[in-house]
Amino acid sequence: MAAATMEVDSGNDSIQRKQSLYKSLDERFGIQKEMYRGQQYSQIYFARLHLMRTMLYSLIPNWKVHLPVCTVLGLEEGKECIIVGTIYKHMKLKPSILDEYSKERSTTPLVKPHNFVSSDDYLVLEDESGRVKLCGALLLPSVFVTGIVVALHGKETGAGDFMVEDILEAGFPHQIERPLVSGEDKYVVFVSGLSVGGSSSNPLQFQLFIDHITGHLGDEKEQSFAARIVQVVVAGNSVEYPRTLLNGQNLSSKDQSRLSEPIKELDILLTQIAAGIPLDIMPGPDDPANFSLPQQALHRCLFPGSSAFNTFRSCSNPHSFELDNVSFLGTSGQNIDDLEKYSDASDKLGFMERTLRWRHLAPTAPNTLGCYPFTDRDPFFIETCPHVYFVGNQEKYQSRLVKGSEGQVVRLICIPRFVETGTAVVLNMRNLECHTLSFGAEFST
Amino acid sequence: MASSSDMKGFFRQKKKTAGGRGVGKSKANKATSFKKSKNSASVGTDQVQPPALISHGALDLQDDYDSKEEILRQFDMSMAYGPCLGMTRLDRWERAKALGLNPPKDVERLLRAEKVNAQCLWDGCI
């Protein structure tokens, strides 16, 4: 069924909604063709190392020519050289599964610090031949995480460590230039953390949002703006299940129907959007999808109402697509939240920029972030630079335009949780400018 | 890795050709005429095929392996092409090719054309 209404009726003339050409790039995040044959995570690390090492080798001549490149095992004391490998960060405070066996079991969960960084952390570089501990004032362990592939210039010390003199990160990947669109403003609306069905979600707030973007609210000016929205992206955590029902006990039939309420409510709400605007929905950490990245698309049977429309697209997490040749890449937040636990940065956008510079969406996968054990590829490797890079389920809205060394321009967006902030993010595809849409439904007494 | 000479004294030998456990690379390189491999799971037992040791529903008859399997085992154990467990040999070869590691063409020919074991040598053992 095609979208029933693409027009916004303002009484005298109807305003037509703008449309954009959509292309999905999510094929790399599908795991339907993968087969689990008992492989371990060493396979994905091997694939990642080789993929990125080949790429770094091509960048080294531009960085430091005349220096020999050797493997970790080929290091000689005092010989200045370049080594390429995967970083491993040893963290004293990182929780280990073995702690569960050594400590006494208690019913209350162990209170864990939100951030596991300590001043004792140190970095190790590893390739298939061996590993070497890294030292040197240049390398701040708090900035790095396990899983990044870098090239290091330095020399082996007498103690057997590698004294780092300089570091080469992959840098922003190549970006295809954005087409210059003159005149027309077309908007993409991002929202995440709806948490429908949760105790703190206010249905009126989301309903206001829906009514606004579908053009049912406001005067002609508002409706003209709404008619320029060509895509809605829901970036994860769209439902929230009552925690008491999920403790593994048998459910009574009354509880079972309670369990299906949130997703039914979400479907009713999304149908209103899908009836008028193309809608992409991504799974998040709290949604009924698989746990490890890449999360697979939420099944269509969960959305009997919305999936009847061809504007409704259930997508993977991470999600990559193109709209009118503007490329988008985003996640529901797990990759950046995990970086926040194991490294320090001034803000969330700082972590996002680092993942682009490291050319890897989720470097901490599979170390501390659940991930499918791929054998022959690493789908989180960022091959081309997106124009828009978004992350859902963050505490507050933040956005920045960052530039790469070869003229790449990327709009970074942190989408706040709608259930907490009532805020959605609007991006203008013409100039990559961003602003927020906030909805309040509190009645003052 | 212990050489076969250490293993010999360690295990009680019932048959002349039975050796210790472990992959004897050095021995395999020399001759094609060895009768019983050191990988036999029934080493050190009285029965020829104790029921508990029949894995995959097949008898432990992997004692003889020929030169073709030898080439494939060398490919399995080569560190340059990454871990071998959890992948079919052909998948690993294809991965090596895709990553630009130039895996030997002989291995590909054997895996595609001839009747050889598709799984790596550790398959089912670990």
Side-chain angles (χ1 to χ4, degrees):
Chain A
M1 195 200 299
T5 323
M6 289 297 247
E7 292 177 4
V8 172
D9 206 354
S10 73
N12 296 330
D13 342 275
S14 44
I15 311 173
Q16 295 283 347
R17 185 178 291 283
K18 301 283 171 206
Q19 292 185 46
S20 277
L21 205 63
Y22 179 95
K23 185 168 139 197
S24 166
L25 302 169
D26 278 346
E27 210 182 300
R28 59 187 310 160
F29 300 122
I31 56 174
Q32 285 72 16
K33 296 202 184 85
E34 303 291 329
M35 226 173 115
Y36 184 65
R37 297 184 197 277
Q39 65 266 29
Q40 298 189 357
Y41 285 123
S42 54
Q43 307 276 10
I44 186 176
Y45 276 121
F46 176 78
R48 182 186 301 176
L49 175 62
H50 272 272
L51 198 58
M52 299 198 63
R53 188 161 64 181
T54 315
M55 185 251 313
L56 281 169
Y57 278 171
S58 66
L59 297 175
I60 287 174
N62 288 338
W63 178 51
K64 281 170 205 271
V65 81
H66 302 313
L67 275 178
V69 177
C70 56
T71 60
V72 167
L73 215 55
L75 281 176
E76 287 166 29
E77 190 183 326
K79 178 175 125 190
E80 212 175 316
C81 62
I82 297 177
I83 52 175
V84 182
T86 315
I87 296 242
Y88 172 77
K89 182 154 95 166
H90 178 93
M91 301 178 79
K92 181 176 76 175
L93 295 175
K94 183 174 128 185
S96 161
I97 189 85
L98 300 172
D99 290 345
E100 290 185 28
Y101 293 95
S102 63
K103 296 197 171 75
E104 289 165 6
R105 286 180 71 92
S106 58
T107 48
T108 54
L110 298 165
V111 174
K112 293 189 173 73
H114 182 65
N115 179 284
F116 302 107
V117 168
S118 106
S119 49
D120 293 337
D121 298 338
Y122 60 87
L123 299 175
V124 171
L125 191 81
E126 191 175 309
D127 69 8
E128 66 266 297
S129 63
R131 39 168 33 202
V132 66
K133 186 166 168 214
L134 303 175
C135 55
L138 185 68
L139 224 53
L140 275 172
S142 60
V143 167
F144 297 93
V145 286
T146 300
I148 321 163
V149 179
V150 292
L152 298 174
H153 161 219
K155 53 167 95 85
E156 190 185 354
T157 65
D161 298 344
F162 189 81
M163 170 68 71
V164 177
E165 285 168 40
D166 201 358
I167 172 168
L168 173 68
E169 293 166 336
F172 283 27
H174 172 69
Q175 187 181 63
I176 301 169
E177 254 195 75
R178 208 162 41 93
L180 290 164
V181 181
S182 53
E184 278 208 323
D185 279 340
K186 284 189 190 176
Y187 298 102
V188 176
V189 173
F190 297 93
V191 71
S192 82
L194 299 172
S195 298
V196 167
S199 48
S200 34
S201 92
N202 185 348
L204 181 57
Q205 223 173 19
F206 191 47
Q207 190 61 52
L208 267 178
F209 166 81
I210 297 174
D211 289 339
H212 185 263
I213 61 171
T214 51
H216 290 105
L217 280 183
D219 59 357
E220 208 170 301
K221 188 166 144 259
E222 291 291 333
Q223 289 177 327
S224 305
F225 163 78
R228 294 185 168 282
I229 299 174
V230 292
Q231 177 74 49
V232 175
V233 178
V234 181
N237 282 0
S238 310
V239 286
E240 188 182 308
Y241 290 97
R243 286 280 142 191
T244 50
L245 294 182
L246 295 174
N247 55 7
Q249 292 182 351
N250 287 331
L251 295 175
S252 64
S253 58
K254 189 173 79 135
D255 281 343
Q256 275 183 10
S257 52
R258 262 179 71 199
L259 208 54
S260 63
E261 288 308 316
I263 200 81
K264 278 196 214 157
E265 199 184 323
L266 178 68
D267 185 39
I268 293 171
L269 294 164
L270 292 183
T271 308
Q272 300 174 52
I273 305 181
I277 320 176
L279 169 71
D280 278 6
I281 179 162
M282 296 161 60
D286 294 344
D287 289 325
N290 57 314
F291 167 74
S292 50
L293 293 183
Q295 279 184 295
Q296 299 304 292
L298 294 163
H299 203 282
R300 289 171 67 87
C301 70
L302 295 169
F303 305 103
S306 339
S307 59
F309 292 97
N310 68 356
T311 44
F312 178 82
R313 284 180 218 103
S314 184
C315 311
S316 58
N317 169 35
H319 182 32
S320 173
F321 63 98
E322 259 176 36
L323 258 186
D324 284 346
N325 292 319
V326 175
S327 63
F328 292 73
L329 176 64
T331 67
S332 299
Q334 293 104 317
N335 59 332
I336 300 300
D337 290 344
D338 205 55
L339 279 180
E340 196 190 17
K341 283 196 220 161
Y342 297 99
S343 61
D344 286 333
S346 48
D347 55 15
K348 287 291 180 71
L349 297 173
F351 292 120
M352 292 173 72
E353 198 179 339
R354 282 182 198 165
T355 57
L356 278 179
R357 272 215 315 272
W358 295 330
R359 277 200 219 185
H360 203 277
L361 259 185
T364 53
N367 186 36
T368 45
L369 187 57
C371 161
Y372 183 86
F374 293 98
T375 52
D376 54 358
R377 62 196 179 96
D378 186 348
F380 305 110
F381 174 66
I382 305 175
E383 279 174 359
T384 51
C385 195
H387 299 110
V388 180
Y389 179 25
F390 63 91
V391 161
N393 293 297
Q394 300 305 305
E395 294 84 35
K396 56 181 188 202
Y397 162 71
Q398 278 186 305
S399 180
R400 196 184 296 154
L401 204 63
V402 293
K403 297 194 175 18
S405 56
E406 287 164 27
Q408 303 97 328
V409 172
V410 190
R411 165 63 64 185
L412 303 179
I413 309 175
C414 283
I415 312 166
R417 292 178 213 118
F418 193 84
V419 69
E420 288 169 14
T421 60
T423 303
V425 181
V426 181
L427 169 88
N428 186 342
M429 289 211 293
R430 181 177 61 85
N431 51 19
L432 292 188
E433 268 172 24
C434 245
H435 64 270
T436 54
L437 265 184
S438 290
F439 300 89
E442 297 299 316
F443 296 103
S444 52
T445 48
Chain B
M1 210 184 288
S3 67
S4 52
S5 55
D6 290 341
M7 288 281 121
K8 247 184 172 174
F10 189 78
F11 283 94
R12 177 170 62 96
Q13 291 180 49
K14 289 296 304 189
K15 296 175 186 165
K16 233 200 295 183
T17 52
R21 247 198 110 75
V23 185
K25 234 166 109 167
S26 48
K27 197 134 188 219
N29 278 342
K30 284 204 196 115
T32 46
S33 60
F34 54 89
K35 298 226 170 42
K36 194 139 180 142
S37 130
K38 304 138 244 15
N39 300 326
S40 169
S42 52
V43 156
T45 67
D46 285 311
Q47 299 164 282
V48 174
Q49 284 295 337
L53 289 174
I54 298 174
S55 58
H56 292 281
L59 299 174
D60 189 13
L61 292 171
Q62 275 213 330
D63 306 325
D64 281 326
Y65 62 90
D66 56 3
S67 54
K68 286 192 230 150
E69 176 71 9
E70 177 54 31
I71 298 173
L72 293 176
R73 286 191 179 194
Q74 293 297 331
F75 173 68
D76 283 343
M77 288 189 290
S78 168
M79 268 200 335
Y81 310 118
C84 68
L85 254 188
M87 293 179 87
T88 61
R89 282 167 165 165
L90 190 56
D91 281 344
R92 187 161 169 265
W93 192 92
E94 307 241 323
R95 174 179 73 185
K97 183 141 182 284
L99 292 173
L101 300 168
N102 286 326
K105 292 215 166 21
D106 282 350
V107 173
E108 185 196 12
R109 191 181 45 81
L110 280 173
L111 288 171
R112 285 194 203 279
E114 307 196 27
K115 195 164 177 290
V116 285
N117 194 354
Q119 305 298 334
C120 77
L121 79 164
W122 306 117
D123 185 62
C125 299
I126 293 179

